[in-house]
Amino acid sequence: MTQRVGALQEDYLARGRPLGADRVLWEIGAGGCDVRSLRARLDLDSGYLSRLLRSLERAGLVRVEPGATDARVRMARLTAEGAAEWKVLDERSDELAASILEPLSRAQQERLVAAMDEVTRLLTASMVRVEVVDPRLPVAQYCLTEYFAELGRRFDDGFDRGRSISAGNDELTPPAGLLLVATLRSEPAGCGALKLHGPEPAEIKRMWVSPEARGLGLGRRLLTELEHAAAAHGAPAVRLETNRTLTEAIALYRTSGYQEVAPFNEEPYAHHWFQKPLKL
């Protein structure tokens, strides 16, 4: 693969730079990007990224300057020459892709594209990090805010957090419970919470996956990790309730071994109640 796409060449796409520099130029894009986010997105060492940016600055393609609202934030932006170069890279990337497909039959082309889509999806899934975080942190609050917003959009009568059974910050902080947050390229991608009740079944709450991360199996991964956490804390089972409009979630729970049971609480937005025994 590296040979076929020219990743090892110092003159990638015949533009006089290696692939690493061109990837940085591409990621900066038309809107610019702060250096911290750029480093996280590409998972680059700060020193190496600085060297790449300096080389692009010397070539007149990029300028790095303080942020408009916070001078501590450094912003990388394309110059006019950089924007023109970005367009050339886009065109030549398309030409390279066409040259890879051209010798293949139509059936082979379809197989290759489908295989590359699958590889991309699985590699992206492998890059997701899931960690227990303090629910008060900005990344956690972002996920919870998006979770509530989605419920408001999807529920037939909207969603009022004050009417729902609580799962506040204190309830999601050990030892009372915990909150898992998933990140992809340092950006929030999903969350799931657990309320612990000693020897009683634990409650799964706040299951949410960002639209950009759907299709990666992240919901199932979060659910599995919450089950493991509940078992590690001695819970004999996990249980949850959900709304009838959340059809994807209902399908996930059923295919993950959850059985529908009689209502075990008075959650006003719930139509289904599920429980799953755990192996301690």
Side-chain angles (χ1 to χ4, degrees), residues 15-17 21-22 25 51-63 79-82 85:
R15 302 307 297 164
R17 297 176 303 276
D22 280 342
L25 184 71
R51 291 193 293 274
L52 289 174
L53 288 171
R54 284 197 297 270
S55 72
L56 293 170
E57 284 185 291
R58 287 194 297 271
L61 303 176
V62 168
R63 65 178 184 275
T79 62
E81 293 83 356
E85 185 67 14

Side-chain angles (χ1 to χ4, degrees), residues 179-236:
L179 178 70
L180 295 179
V181 168
T183 55
L184 175 60
R185 301 184 182 93
S186 299
E187 295 296 326
C191 64
L194 203 62
K195 290 173 65 176
L196 298 166
H197 303 292
E200 299 298 318
E203 294 179 77
I204 290 177
K205 309 291 288 184
R206 309 307 191 229
M207 284 284 293
W208 173 77
V209 175
S210 72
E212 295 77 14
R214 291 172 190 175
L216 301 178
L218 180 54
R220 193 174 301 274
R221 178 178 170 186
L222 285 166
L223 188 63
T224 299
E225 296 208 18
L226 289 170
E227 293 170 3
H228 291 166
H233 284 84

Side-chain angles (χ1 to χ4, degrees), residues 27 32-44 49 73-75 185-187:
E27 289 294 337
C33 183
D34 72 85
V35 174
R36 183 183 303 170
S37 297
L38 190 63
R39 183 170 64 246
R41 188 184 304 168
L42 296 176
D43 196 20
L44 291 177
L49 177 60
V73 176
R74 293 192 305 148
M75 291 291 301
R185 301 184 182 93
S186 299
E187 295 296 326

Side-chain angles (χ1 to χ4, degrees), residues 4 12 29 43 83 112-113 177 217 223 255:
R4 188 65 183 88
Y12 183 65
D43 196 20
L112 178 59
V113 171
L223 188 63
T255 58

Side-chain angles (χ1 to χ4, degrees), residues 115-181:
M116 292 185 73
D117 283 345
E118 181 71 1
V119 168
T120 299
R121 185 163 50 252
L122 293 175
L123 285 176
T124 301
S126 75
M127 295 168 63
V128 176
R129 298 176 182 175
V130 177
E131 299 174 299
V132 176
V133 305
D134 186 325
R136 301 162 188 81
L137 291 177
V139 67
Q141 287 298 307
Y142 173 87
C143 289
L144 294 172
T145 298
E146 290 298 307
Y147 164 81
F148 293 127
E150 178 155 355
L151 297 190
R153 291 191 299 269
R154 297 187 62 176
F155 285 8
D156 294 335
D157 299 316
F159 178 75
D160 180 354
R161 182 176 176 181
R163 293 184 59 211
S164 183
I165 292 175
S166 69
N169 292 341
D170 291 342
E171 295 171 285
L172 304 184
T173 302
L178 57 87
L179 178 70
L180 295 179
V181 168

